[in-house]
């Protein structure tokens, strides 16, 4: 997760040292700067991931919008490729909208490098996503690693070569300086084995590396053997094995076979307990901790107490990686090639062995999520959310496994326990999808409490994704079960969900009695957390009905109860709502105070949803207080954040904010266009503005009409309505920045590269439009259009507008 947007990278730290590859690094960096999709291909274990990480690391210099690592190896479901990239970029998924679209819109014109690692098993989805990104995001570049190319236009394939090996007869110095031998020596030294420095030792090391074709993974596995046998013996054993494989001929093996032979040999040298552990570890997706390994690896030949020792032995043999980079206890991980090999070995033991391993894996994660559930709304919320983040691959694998099982209960419990997690991390759609699949299974139709809990969780998530009809049906069914069972806590929970569904559909009158009855149950139970949630719904209803003071009272009480329950996320969000209701009631000082408090809570929790809202509301406070410049800066900030996280409704709100602030009142046309763009976006979403914003927008449109005259206003407003909202947002931000910081001079060597905005301008020039018309169409000032045109001419080495128009036509822009 991109939990620190300020850092602009999430590349994982590496524990072992990186060796050599200077030429390859230079080549990859050059390719990345010249081509927007570079794919590093090669056989398993060739060093694609490591080279990709190193190259990307060198490019993460804090410039642009960062360098991001998306680890695709743990994914089984191709649909999760786009979700994973969205997560990594901090983009929030949106109800009813394909994730790819949201990511594309959020990336927009930002300049990013994204490393898509281990694409091979989800290659189709990677190709589709890459294609969409490259087509629509002009400043984004992709670096992929994959055993096969993505196969789309514009892809530059770079085959990762083996590490350099010394030639037969090279002198000792040259041998020791070769990449492969350096890797062998480094990994041996990491295990406390130091290769001798004499000529004979160098020759042996050189021959071993040549035998292994310079494949990094094979060399690491071989180095791990040097603890138990001297290099000479290792070489002799390799000779024997490879002679066997090649039928005694001296011809080499294909690279895959070389690696396979080395992995086979490493496997055969394991004792049966180590073999059993390694095979079972293959069911983990994306790393695991010691406790999880213990749960999954125990078996008849492996007592729990021995797992730690066996894991250590596997780490020593380089078959398991141990990453201890942070302050935590460290995590284990299997390289993809090794994981696949181990999965093959597990499969060879038969279906019973596989399902046993998967069952213990699922049960471990079921226990973990059930232990986590109460903490997700309690004092240790942030830690538990982070913990679940690290396990997302495993949680998904456990859910997928459960969906194929006859007994639906464990799967339902697992997915329902994650309710707070799905919500907090913007995965409502995924959680709801998983729950719906489980709920629909034929074995899941009984009227059991786990089903009711799962229905409630699904309804809660579907309310968030806007699927009100299904959510309503789930609520009814769950209420019936909860009532029959006398589960008051669940009843109150469901009443609150129903009420919010009604509120979202604009029915505060129908929602209020439902809320009151839920509150009655919550008070009766003495459950502050339930009461807090119901009060937040009542506050919302009161505000819609125009009772702002009542809304503020309920929100304040709700925040107090969330605090008592230890739910910081809840406290932060409620203080934000409280601030908003206070704005509506006209109490600016109290509003500012509470919004600032909300902001301070949301920041460390990385609750982007809250941050976007609060930033916008702080802008409203400034606007209502008469500080237009301060308001504009906050609206622009919230627009930028909303755009980056794909929150479309909030983008529209922020556009309205910018219209209100009106660039210091100098440009009514600009405000009118922004109103048009925002209104169209809201209409497309079917979203009704909240009362305060609706009132302010209305007043502002009247002001503009008075200042400009109806005809001019209508023309500008209509021009705004045809703008794509993401584009309008992008342009508005560029415009505002252009006022204070003009674009840097473009260096001569990049002279043929036009920015997307310049391309837009050029296209319209080529269509024969005048500067004022272009300005209107693109929501720019005339001055800015003029500046763009000057840049275009300079970059293309042209001297006249007519020449630029001709060039644009030739380039196929019109
Ligand atoms: N230049 C290098 N310096 C040090 N170690 C390296 C280097 N290249 C590769 N390795 C190590 O070799 C092993 C295999 O490399 P890596 O995982 O990058 O291969 P891969 O080609 O991505 O494999 P897969 O196809 O399984 O994903 C890893 O342990 C990695 O750290
Ligand atoms: Mg890899």
């Amino acid at each position: 997760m991109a939990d620190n947007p300020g850092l602009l990278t999430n590349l994982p730290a590496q524990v072992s040292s990186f060796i050599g590859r200077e030429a390859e690094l230079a080549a990859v960096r050059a390719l990345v700067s010249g081509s927007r999709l570079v794919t590093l291909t090669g056989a398993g274990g060739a060093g694609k991931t490591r080279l990709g990480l190193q190259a990307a690391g060198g490019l993460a210099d804090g410039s642009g919008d960062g360098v991001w690592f998306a680890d695709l190896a743990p994914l089984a479901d191709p649909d999760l490729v786009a979700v994973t990239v969205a997560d990594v970029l901090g983009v929030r998924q949106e109800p009813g909208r394909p994730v790819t679209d949201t990511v594309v819109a959020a990336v927009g014109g930002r300049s990013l490098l994204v490393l898509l690692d281990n694409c091979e098993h989800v290659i189709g989805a990677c190709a589709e996503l890459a294609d969409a990104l490259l087509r629509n995001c002009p400043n984004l570049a992709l670096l992929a690693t994959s055993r096969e190319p993505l196969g789309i236009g514009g892809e530059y394939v770079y085959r990762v070569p083996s590490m350099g090996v010394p030639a037969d007869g090279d002198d000792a110095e040259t041998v020791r300086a070769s990449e492969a031998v350096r890797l062998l020596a480094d990994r041996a030294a990491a295990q406390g084995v130091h290769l001798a420095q004499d000529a004979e030792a160098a020759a042996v090391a050189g021959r071993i590396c040549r035998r292994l074709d310079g494949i990094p993974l094979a060399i690491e596995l071989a180095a791990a053997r040097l603890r138990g046998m001297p290099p000479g013996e290792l070489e002799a054993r390799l000779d024997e094995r490879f002679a066997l494989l090649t039928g005694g001929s001296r011809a080499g093996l294909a690279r895959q076979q070389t690696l396979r032979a080395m992995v086979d040999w490493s496997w055969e040298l394991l004792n049966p307990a180590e073999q059993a552990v390694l095979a079972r570890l293959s069911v983990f997706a994306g790393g695991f901790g010691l406790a999880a390994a213990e749960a999954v690896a125990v078996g008849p030949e492996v007592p729990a107490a021995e797992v730690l020792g066996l894991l250590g032995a596997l780490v020593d043999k380089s078959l398991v990686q141990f990453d201890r980079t942070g302050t935590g206890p460290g995590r284990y991980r299997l390289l993809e090639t090794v994981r696949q090999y181990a999965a093959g070995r597990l499969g060879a033991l038969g279906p019973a062995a596989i399902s046993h391993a998967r069952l213990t894996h699922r049960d471990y994660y079921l226990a973990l999520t059930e232990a986590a559930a109460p903490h997700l709304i309690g004092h240790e919320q942030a830690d538990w959310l982070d913990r679940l983040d690290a396990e997302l691959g495993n949680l998904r694998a456990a859910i997928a496994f459960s969906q194929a099982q006859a007994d639906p209960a464990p799967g339902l419990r697992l997915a329902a326990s994650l309710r707070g997690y799905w919500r907090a991390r913007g995965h409502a759609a995924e959680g709801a999808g998983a729950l719906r699949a489980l709920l629909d299974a034929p074995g899941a139709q009984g009227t059991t409490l786990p089903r009711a809990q799962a229905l409630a969780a699904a309804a809660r998530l579907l309310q968030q994704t806007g699927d009100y009809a299904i959510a309503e049906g789930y609520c009814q069914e769950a209420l019936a079960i909860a009532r029959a069972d006398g589960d008051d806590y669940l009843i109150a929970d469901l009443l609150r969900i129903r009420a919010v569904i009604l509120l979202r559909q604009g029915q505060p009158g129908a929602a209020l009695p439902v809320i009151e009855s839920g509150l009655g149950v919550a008070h009766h139970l003495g459950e502050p957390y339930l009461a807090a949630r119901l009060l937040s719904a009542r506050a919302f209803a009161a505000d819609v009905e125009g009772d702002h003071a009542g809304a503020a009272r309920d929100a304040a009480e709700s925040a107090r109860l969330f605090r008592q329950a230890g739910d910081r996320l809840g406290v932060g969000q409620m203080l934000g709502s409280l601030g908003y209701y206070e704005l509506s009631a006209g109490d600016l000082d109290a509003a500012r105070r509470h919004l600032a408090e909300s902001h301070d809570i949301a920041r460390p929790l990385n609750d982007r949803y809250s941050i976007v809202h609060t930033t916008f509301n702080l802008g409203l406070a400034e606007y209502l207080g008469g500080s237009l410049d301060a308001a504009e800066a906050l609206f622009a900030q919230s627009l930028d954040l909303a755009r980056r996280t794909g929150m479309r409704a909030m983008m529209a709100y922020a556009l309205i904010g910018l219209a209100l602030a009106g660039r210091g009142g100098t440009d009514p046309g600009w405000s009118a266009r922004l109103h048009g763009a925002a209104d169209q976006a809201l209409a497309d979403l079917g979203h009704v503005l909240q009362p305060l914003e609706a009132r302010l927008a209305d007043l502002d449109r009247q002001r503009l009409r008075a200042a400009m005259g109806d005809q001019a206003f209508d023309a500008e407003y209509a021009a705004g309505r045809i703008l794509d909202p993401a584009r309008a947002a992008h342009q508005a931000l560029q415009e505002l920045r252009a006022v204070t910081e003009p674009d840097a001079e473009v260096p001569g060597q990049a002279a043929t590269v036009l920015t997307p905005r310049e391309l837009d301008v050029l296209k319209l020039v080529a269509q024969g439009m005048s500067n004022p018309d272009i300005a209107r169409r693109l929501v720019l000032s005339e001055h800015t259009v003029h500046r763009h045109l000057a840049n275009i001419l300079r970059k293309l080495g042209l001297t006249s507008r007519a020449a630029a128009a001709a060039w644009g036509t030739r380039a196929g822009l019109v």
Side-chain angles (χ1 to χ4, degrees):
M1 300 256 158
D3 29 41
N4 189 345
L7 230 52
L8 292 181
T9 183
N10 68 336
L11 292 175
Q14 297 300 306
V15 219
S16 62
S17 46
F18 182 82
I19 310 279
R21 300 289 205 186
E22 288 84 6
E24 288 81 2
L25 274 174
V28 172
R29 282 181 191 149
L31 287 174
V32 170
S33 63
S35 161
R36 294 177 51 220
L37 170 58
V38 177
T39 304
L40 308 182
T41 63
K48 303 179 290 295
T49 295
R50 195 69 201 255
L51 183 62
L53 282 169
Q54 195 73 11
L59 296 165
D61 55 3
S63 68
D65 296 293
V67 174
W68 303 96
F69 175 69
D71 180 10
L72 307 179
L75 305 183
D77 177 357
D79 288 347
L80 293 174
V81 169
V83 172
T84 302
V85 172
D87 268 355
V88 163
L89 298 179
V91 172
R92 204 176 170 91
Q93 295 170 49
E94 269 192 283
R97 191 185 193 197
V99 188
T100 302
D101 290 3
T102 311
V103 173
V104 162
V107 171
R110 290 202 286 153
S111 65
L112 303 172
L113 173 65
V114 181
L115 175 52
L116 299 173
D117 191 38
N118 278 83
C119 299
E120 52 277 332
H121 60 299
V122 280
I123 192 94
C126 287
E128 265 171 45
L129 177 69
D131 195 49
L133 284 169
L134 294 176
R135 274 177 204 283
N136 298 297
C137 308
N139 300 317
L140 165 131
L142 295 171
L143 177 58
T145 81
S146 178
R147 293 185 199 160
E148 51 172 313
L150 302 192
I152 60 173
E155 177 179 32
Y156 196 100
V157 177
Y158 179 82
R159 204 174 159 75
V160 176
S162 284
M163 285 191 140
V165 293
D168 198 7
D170 277 352
D171 62 63
E173 193 89 7
T174 313
V175 172
R176 276 195 293 266
S178 75
E179 279 177 341
V181 172
R182 274 162 61 206
L183 180 63
L184 184 76
D186 182 273
R187 298 304 192 252
Q191 306 235 11
V193 176
H194 297 280
L195 300 184
Q197 292 296 304
D198 57 280
E200 178 49 23
V204 173
R207 286 197 298 270
I208 291 175
C209 291
R210 252 196 329 272
R211 258 281 171 256
L212 297 173
D213 290 335
I215 301 168
L217 176 56
I219 294 172
E220 286 189 334
L221 291 170
R225 301 257 59 104
L226 289 172
R227 279 227 301 199
M229 63 182 77
E233 191 182 335
L234 178 76
E235 189 204 353
R237 300 267 207 104
L238 276 175
D239 268 350
E240 265 169 48
R241 291 190 70 87
F242 284 34
L244 220 63
L245 290 167
T246 54
S249 94
R250 294 207 58 88
L253 296 167
R255 277 170 77 192
Q256 274 125 303
Q257 285 172 299
T258 302
L259 180 63
R260 170 80 196 195
M262 188 62 222
V263 181
D264 268 337
W265 187 35
S266 301
W267 169 267
E268 284 159 27
L269 289 171
L270 299 177
N271 66 37
E274 291 166 342
Q275 289 184 344
V277 171
L278 184 59
R280 290 194 201 120
L281 293 179
S282 69
V283 299
F284 284 103
F288 47 92
L290 176 59
E294 281 173 345
V296 170
V298 284
E301 63 293 69
V302 184
E306 280 180 21
V307 173
L308 178 60
L310 292 165
L311 266 174
L314 290 167
V315 171
D316 285 346
K317 289 168 181 145
S318 272
L319 288 164
V320 172
Q321 317 290 311
F322 181 60
D323 300 332
R324 185 171 203 154
T325 44
T327 46
R331 270 173 88 77
Y332 297 91
R333 171 172 69 84
L334 266 55
L335 290 174
E336 190 50 21
T337 295
V338 176
R339 195 196 62 74
Q340 283 172 11
Y341 180 89
R345 290 288 180 174
L346 181 65
L349 298 175
I354 304 179
S355 44
H356 180 75
R358 294 209 171 279
L359 261 178
T360 50
H361 176 269
R362 200 271 312 280
D363 289 345
Y364 175 82
Y365 286 102
L366 173 58
L368 178 74
T369 50
E370 289 195 325
H375 296 290
L376 296 181
I377 50 174
H379 295 283
E380 288 154 40
Q381 189 172 50
D383 289 347
W384 279 91
L385 286 170
D386 288 349
R387 229 175 124 176
L388 293 177
D389 274 345
E391 302 294 359
L392 188 53
N394 286 311
L395 299 171
R396 285 169 167 161
I399 290 172
F401 169 75
S402 303
Q403 284 169 346
Q405 299 303 297
D407 177 9
L412 285 175
R413 278 162 52 201
L414 202 166
S417 306
L418 287 170
R419 168 176 151 174
Y421 174 77
W422 300 125
R423 223 166 53 76
R425 291 299 197 232
H427 287 299
E430 184 184 347
L435 281 161
R436 286 184 66 186
L438 287 158
L439 286 164
D440 285 349
Q445 305 307 318
T447 52
T448 61
L449 218 47
R451 176 168 176 90
Q453 300 276 13
L455 286 165
R460 175 72 184 83
L461 296 168
L462 289 165
Q463 172 250 301
Q464 195 165 335
T465 60
D467 294 297
Y468 301 129
I470 309 170
E472 175 67 26
Y474 281 2
C475 259
Q476 302 288 12
E477 188 190 339
L479 265 173
I481 301 176
R483 289 203 169 110
D485 227 88
D487 187 331
D488 284 343
Y489 191 100
L490 185 55
I491 292 173
D493 184 28
L494 285 160
L495 289 174
R496 133 94 198 189
I497 298 169
R498 259 198 88 189
V500 175
I501 295 171
L502 289 167
L503 286 171
R504 295 253 173 250
Q505 294 173 297
Q507 301 177 45
L512 274 167
V514 179
I515 295 171
E516 291 304 341
S517 108
L519 269 174
V521 182
H523 286 317
H524 173 70
L525 286 171
E527 281 287 350
Y529 178 72
L530 275 178
R533 296 186 57 223
L534 282 148
L535 282 171
S536 94
R538 194 168 77 181
F540 183 13
D543 187 64
V544 176
E545 302 249 274
D547 176 10
H548 307 306
R553 261 197 317 279
D554 278 346
E557 176 61 5
S558 170
R560 192 186 68 78
L561 292 172
F562 272 128
R563 186 169 280 132
Q564 192 178 323
D567 184 344
R568 300 270 300 159
L569 266 179
V571 177
Q573 286 171 5
M574 264 347 275
L575 288 174
S577 302
L578 173 58
Y580 176 75
Y581 301 141
E582 286 164 341
L583 282 182
S584 302
D587 187 350
L588 295 190
D589 287 343
R592 280 203 191 92
R593 209 170 52 244
H594 290 130
L595 289 170
E597 264 184 75
S598 166
H599 212 261
D600 290 347
I601 293 175
R603 273 236 156 268
L605 283 170
N606 194 24
D607 181 359
R608 300 188 194 97
Y609 182 78
S610 246
I611 294 170
V612 173
H613 280 270
T614 309
T615 308
F616 174 79
N617 286 333
L618 282 166
L620 276 184
E622 293 305 325
Y623 174 73
L624 292 167
S627 310
L628 292 188
D629 287 349
E632 182 157 78
L634 286 158
F635 290 139
Q637 210 179 321
S638 72
L639 178 61
D640 193 32
L641 282 171
R643 191 171 63 101
R644 284 169 189 243
T645 47
M647 293 167 67
R648 280 188 301 172
M650 280 313 293
M651 275 168 62
Y653 276 76
L655 288 174
I656 291 178
L658 288 178
L660 298 177
R663 293 180 82 185
T666 54
D667 195 347
W670 141 280
S671 291
R673 280 194 299 280
L674 292 180
H675 275 296
D679 287 355
Q680 187 59 46
L682 290 168
D684 290 345
L685 291 171
H687 184 106
V688 180
L689 271 184
Q690 299 211 42
L692 173 64
E693 288 87 338
R695 187 159 49 84
L696 294 176
D698 212 36
L699 285 172
D700 195 53
R701 285 191 302 259
Q702 287 174 31
R703 164 185 78 90
L704 294 167
R705 278 185 188 283
M708 304 166 67
D710 282 338
Q711 213 177 354
F713 175 86
D714 288 338
E716 297 287 7
Y717 183 82
R721 286 191 81 116
I722 56 166
L723 284 173
D724 169 61
R727 259 200 120 58
H730 181 64
Q731 288 169 354
L733 289 170
Q734 296 262 351
E735 259 306 77
L736 286 170
R737 275 189 207 120
V739 176
T740 46
E741 28 169 303
D743 289 352
E745 281 291 302
V746 180
Q749 65 266 37
T752 52
V753 186
L754 298 186
T755 66
R757 214 151 31 111
E758 288 163 355
L759 278 172
D760 288 339
V761 171
L762 181 58
K763 200 186 287 182
L764 299 178
V765 167
Q767 286 170 8
M769 278 172 83
S770 69
N771 279 9
D773 285 345
I774 295 175
R776 213 164 299 134
R777 172 74 72 87
L778 298 179
V779 202
L780 300 173
S781 71
E782 260 186 69
H783 170 73
T784 308
V785 173
H786 187 79
R787 191 163 50 81
H788 285 317
L789 197 53
N791 281 338
I792 293 168
L793 294 178
R794 195 185 68 240
K795 286 182 182 182
L796 299 178
L798 305 171
T799 49
S800 74
R801 185 187 184 88
W807 191 94
T809 312
R810 268 205 315 281
L813 289 176
V814 280

Coordinates of all heavy atoms in Angstrom, one line a residue, residues 14 16-21 42-51 117-118 120 145 147 163 183 187 216-217 220 321 335-338, ligand 1:
Q14 N 16.0 -4.5 0.0 CA 16.6 -5.9 -0.3 C 17.6 -6.2 0.9 O 18.3 -5.4 1.3 CB 17.3 -5.8 -1.6 CG 16.4 -5.6 -2.8 CD 15.3 -6.6 -2.9 OE1 15.6 -7.8 -3.0 NE2 14.1 -6.2 -2.9
S16 N 19.8 -9.1 0.7 CA 21.1 -9.5 0.2 C 21.7 -8.5 -0.7 O 21.0 -7.6 -1.2 CB 20.9 -10.9 -0.5 OG 20.1 -10.7 -1.6
S17 N 23.0 -8.6 -0.9 CA 23.6 -7.5 -1.8 C 23.4 -7.8 -3.2 O 23.2 -8.9 -3.7 CB 25.1 -7.4 -1.5 OG 25.7 -8.7 -1.5
F18 N 23.4 -6.7 -4.0 CA 23.1 -6.8 -5.4 C 24.5 -6.9 -6.1 O 25.4 -6.1 -5.8 CB 22.4 -5.6 -5.9 CG 22.1 -5.6 -7.4 CD1 21.0 -6.3 -7.9 CD2 22.9 -4.9 -8.3 CE1 20.7 -6.3 -9.2 CE2 22.6 -4.9 -9.6 CZ 21.5 -5.7 -10.1
I19 N 24.7 -7.8 -7.0 CA 26.0 -8.0 -7.6 C 26.0 -7.7 -9.1 O 25.1 -8.1 -9.9 CB 26.4 -9.5 -7.5 CG1 26.3 -10.0 -6.0 CG2 27.8 -9.7 -8.0 CD1 27.4 -9.6 -5.1
G20 N 27.0 -6.9 -9.5 CA 27.2 -6.7 -10.9 C 26.1 -6.1 -11.7 O 25.4 -5.2 -11.2
R21 N 25.9 -6.5 -13.0 CA 24.8 -6.1 -13.8 C 24.9 -4.7 -14.2 O 23.8 -4.1 -14.5 CB 23.4 -6.4 -13.2 CG 23.2 -7.8 -12.8 CD 22.9 -8.6 -14.1 NE 22.1 -9.8 -13.8 CZ 21.8 -10.7 -14.7 NH1 22.4 -10.6 -15.9 NH2 21.1 -11.8 -14.4
G42 N 12.9 -13.7 -19.5 CA 13.9 -14.7 -19.2 C 13.3 -15.8 -18.4 O 12.2 -15.7 -17.9
A43 N 14.1 -16.9 -18.3 CA 13.7 -18.1 -17.6 C 13.5 -17.8 -16.1 O 14.0 -16.7 -15.6 CB 14.6 -19.2 -17.8
G44 N 12.9 -18.7 -15.4 CA 12.7 -18.5 -13.9 C 14.1 -18.4 -13.3 O 15.1 -19.0 -13.7
G45 N 14.2 -17.6 -12.3 CA 15.5 -17.4 -11.5 C 16.6 -16.7 -12.3 O 17.7 -16.7 -11.8
A46 N 16.3 -16.1 -13.4 CA 17.3 -15.4 -14.2 C 17.7 -14.1 -13.6 O 18.7 -13.5 -14.0 CB 16.8 -15.2 -15.6
G47 N 16.9 -13.6 -12.7 CA 17.2 -12.4 -12.0 C 16.4 -11.2 -12.6 O 16.8 -10.0 -12.4
K48 N 15.3 -11.5 -13.1 CA 14.4 -10.4 -13.7 C 13.9 -9.5 -12.7 O 14.0 -8.2 -12.8 CB 13.2 -11.0 -14.4 CG 13.6 -12.0 -15.5 CD 12.3 -12.6 -16.2 CE 11.6 -13.6 -15.3 NZ 12.3 -14.8 -14.9
T49 N 13.4 -10.1 -11.6 CA 12.8 -9.2 -10.5 C 13.9 -8.4 -9.9 O 13.7 -7.2 -9.7 CB 12.1 -10.1 -9.5 OG1 11.0 -10.8 -10.1 CG2 11.7 -9.3 -8.3
R50 N 15.0 -9.0 -9.6 CA 16.1 -8.3 -8.9 C 16.6 -7.1 -9.8 O 16.8 -6.0 -9.3 CB 17.2 -9.3 -8.6 CG 18.2 -8.8 -7.6 CD 17.6 -8.7 -6.2 NE 18.4 -7.8 -5.4 CZ 19.2 -8.2 -4.4 NH1 19.2 -9.5 -4.1 NH2 19.9 -7.3 -3.7
L51 N 16.7 -7.4 -11.1 CA 17.2 -6.4 -12.0 C 16.2 -5.3 -12.1 O 16.5 -4.1 -12.1 CB 17.5 -7.0 -13.4 CG 18.1 -6.1 -14.4 CD1 19.5 -5.5 -14.0 CD2 18.2 -6.8 -15.8
D117 N 5.6 -6.7 -11.4 CA 6.5 -7.9 -11.2 C 5.9 -9.2 -11.3 O 4.9 -9.5 -10.7 CB 7.2 -7.7 -9.8 CG 8.4 -8.7 -9.7 OD1 9.1 -8.9 -10.7 OD2 8.6 -9.2 -8.6
N118 N 6.5 -10.1 -12.0 CA 6.0 -11.5 -12.2 C 4.6 -11.5 -12.9 O 3.6 -11.9 -12.2 CB 6.0 -12.3 -10.9 CG 7.4 -12.8 -10.7 OD1 8.3 -12.1 -10.1 ND2 7.7 -14.1 -11.1
E120 N 3.8 -13.3 -15.6 CA 3.5 -14.4 -16.5 C 2.2 -15.2 -16.2 O 1.5 -15.5 -17.2 CB 4.7 -15.4 -16.4 CG 5.1 -15.9 -15.1 CD 6.1 -14.9 -14.4 OE1 6.8 -14.2 -15.1 OE2 6.1 -14.9 -13.1
T145 N 8.3 -7.5 -15.4 CA 9.1 -8.7 -15.4 C 8.2 -9.8 -15.7 O 7.1 -9.9 -15.1 CB 9.9 -8.9 -14.2 OG1 9.1 -9.6 -13.2 CG2 10.5 -7.7 -13.6
R147 N 8.0 -14.1 -17.6 CA 8.8 -15.1 -18.4 C 8.5 -15.0 -19.8 O 9.2 -15.5 -20.7 CB 8.4 -16.5 -17.8 CG 9.0 -16.6 -16.4 CD 8.9 -17.9 -15.7 NE 9.1 -17.7 -14.3 CZ 8.7 -18.5 -13.4 NH1 8.1 -19.6 -13.7 NH2 8.9 -18.2 -12.1
M163 N 24.3 -14.2 -15.8 CA 25.4 -13.4 -15.3 C 26.7 -13.8 -16.0 O 26.8 -14.9 -16.5 CB 25.5 -13.7 -13.8 CG 24.5 -13.1 -13.0 SD 24.9 -13.2 -11.3 CE 24.4 -11.6 -10.7
L183 N 28.9 -13.5 -7.2 CA 27.7 -13.8 -6.5 C 27.9 -15.1 -5.7 O 27.5 -15.2 -4.5 CB 26.5 -14.1 -7.6 CG 25.2 -14.5 -7.0 CD1 24.6 -13.4 -6.1 CD2 24.2 -14.8 -8.1
R187 N 27.4 -15.0 -1.6 CA 26.4 -15.8 -0.9 C 27.1 -16.9 0.0 O 26.5 -17.2 1.0 CB 25.5 -16.5 -1.9 CG 24.7 -15.5 -2.8 CD 23.9 -14.5 -1.9 NE 22.9 -13.8 -2.7 CZ 23.0 -12.5 -3.1 NH1 24.1 -11.8 -2.6 NH2 22.1 -11.9 -3.8
P216 N 21.5 -16.8 -11.7 CA 21.6 -16.4 -10.3 C 21.0 -17.3 -9.3 O 21.6 -17.7 -8.3 CB 21.0 -15.0 -10.3 CG 21.0 -14.5 -11.7 CD 21.0 -15.8 -12.6
L217 N 19.8 -17.8 -9.6 CA 19.1 -18.6 -8.6 C 19.9 -19.9 -8.4 O 20.1 -20.4 -7.3 CB 17.7 -18.9 -9.0 CG 16.9 -19.9 -8.0 CD1 16.9 -19.4 -6.6 CD2 15.5 -20.1 -8.5
E220 N 22.9 -19.3 -6.3 CA 22.6 -19.1 -4.9 C 22.4 -20.5 -4.2 O 22.8 -20.7 -3.1 CB 21.4 -18.2 -4.7 CG 21.7 -16.7 -5.0 CD 20.5 -15.9 -4.6 OE1 19.3 -16.3 -4.6 OE2 20.7 -14.7 -4.3
Q321 N 13.4 -17.5 1.6 CA 14.0 -16.2 1.9 C 13.5 -15.7 3.2 O 12.3 -15.9 3.5 CB 13.6 -15.2 0.8 CG 13.7 -15.7 -0.6 CD 15.1 -16.0 -1.0 OE1 15.9 -15.1 -0.9 NE2 15.4 -17.2 -1.6
L335 N 10.8 -17.7 -3.3 CA 10.9 -17.1 -4.7 C 10.0 -17.9 -5.6 O 9.7 -19.1 -5.4 CB 12.4 -17.3 -5.2 CG 13.4 -16.5 -4.5 CD1 14.8 -16.9 -5.1 CD2 13.2 -15.0 -4.8
E336 N 9.5 -17.2 -6.6 CA 8.4 -17.8 -7.4 C 8.8 -19.1 -8.0 O 8.0 -20.1 -8.0 CB 7.9 -16.8 -8.5 CG 6.7 -17.1 -9.2 CD 5.5 -17.5 -8.4 OE1 5.5 -17.1 -7.2 OE2 4.6 -18.2 -8.9
T337 N 10.0 -19.2 -8.5 CA 10.4 -20.5 -9.2 C 10.4 -21.6 -8.1 O 10.0 -22.7 -8.4 CB 11.8 -20.3 -9.7 OG1 11.8 -19.3 -10.8 CG2 12.4 -21.6 -10.3
V338 N 10.9 -21.3 -6.9 CA 10.9 -22.3 -5.9 C 9.5 -22.7 -5.4 O 9.2 -23.8 -5.2 CB 11.8 -21.8 -4.7 CG1 11.8 -22.8 -3.6 CG2 13.2 -21.5 -5.1
Ligands
LIG1 N1 22.4 -9.1 -9.7 C1 22.1 -9.9 -8.7 N2 22.8 -9.7 -7.5 C2 22.4 -10.5 -6.5 N3 21.5 -11.4 -6.4 C3 20.8 -11.6 -7.5 C4 21.0 -10.9 -8.7 N4 20.2 -11.3 -9.7 C5 19.4 -12.2 -9.1 N5 19.8 -12.5 -7.8 C6 19.2 -13.4 -6.9 O1 18.8 -14.6 -7.6 C7 17.5 -15.1 -7.2 C8 16.6 -15.1 -8.4 O2 16.4 -13.8 -8.9 P1 15.0 -13.3 -9.3 O3 14.0 -13.6 -8.2 O4 15.1 -11.8 -9.6 O5 14.7 -14.1 -10.6 P2 13.4 -14.0 -11.5 O6 14.0 -14.0 -12.9 O7 12.6 -12.8 -11.2 O8 12.7 -15.3 -11.2 P3 11.1 -15.8 -11.4 O9 11.0 -16.1 -12.8 O10 11.0 -17.0 -10.6 O11 10.3 -14.6 -10.9 C9 17.1 -14.1 -6.1 O12 17.4 -14.6 -4.8 C10 17.8 -12.9 -6.4 O13 18.0 -12.1 -5.2

